[in-house]
Amino acid sequence: MATHGLASERLRTLEEIEKEIATVLQSAGNVTLELSKEKPNERLLDRQAAQFVASIQKVESELSSQIRYLTQVATGQPHEGSSYSARKDCQMALNCADYARVKLGELCKTCDQMLEQL
């Protein structure tokens, strides 16, 4: 259950990042609209530019955090509640067992052929 809660929290964070990106686009649009006027309002421009920069910094920070988390998961390092590393190890063990079975079968076949030639 803890993994489900963690996944839900990660999705909520991504939704918040998406909303922040919308804020970035809105701020950029407002600045562009204001700059297109014959006499732009300097205070409004400053406020919108400051909001744009703050939103960009928040998006960058949150996305970097998400990327670090995904990198940690992908490299199999232990982290809160993931079974990825254990599943990867299990799959590798199954692959090795399959390979050994195939090679033993080939060895058995070769031995049988050698015995038939005698």
Side-chain angles (χ1 to χ4, degrees):
M1 289 294 178
T3 303
H4 178 69
L6 180 63
S8 294
E9 181 61 32
R10 292 270 172 209
L11 287 174
R12 261 192 303 283
T13 301
L14 289 172
E15 288 172 354
E16 290 171 16
I17 292 170
E18 184 178 21
K19 289 176 185 175
E20 198 64 36
I21 290 171
T23 301
V24 166
L25 294 173
Q26 183 68 40
S27 296
N30 290 342
V31 167
T32 303
L33 181 64
E34 192 62 33
L35 285 172
S36 69
K37 294 179 180 176
E38 218 172 287
K39 285 191 159 206
N41 182 338
E42 298 264 341
R43 285 186 15 211
L44 180 63
L45 277 174
D46 287 342
R47 219 175 26 247
Q48 288 295 326
Q51 184 179 6
F52 175 81
V53 169
S55 293
I56 285 287
Q57 288 172 341
K58 183 175 179 182
V59 166
E60 181 182 16
S61 171
E62 290 295 326
L63 285 177
S64 292
S65 173
Q66 293 293 320
I67 290 168
R68 277 191 305 278
Y69 171 77
L70 291 173
T71 300
Q72 190 178 42
V73 171
T75 58
Q77 294 177 358
H79 61 91
E80 63 276 349
S82 174
S83 63
Y84 175 78
S85 181
R87 285 193 323 244
K88 184 177 77 173
D89 291 344
C90 181
Q91 188 60 47
M92 290 299 292
L94 289 172
N95 289 346
C96 287
D98 261 354
Y99 181 74
R101 184 183 50 78
V102 167
K103 288 300 180 184
L104 285 172
E106 290 173 3
L107 180 61
C108 185
K109 190 183 245 183
T110 302
C111 287
D112 286 344
Q113 288 173 352
M114 295 295 278
L115 288 174
E116 285 176 10
Q117 290 177 357
L118 293 176

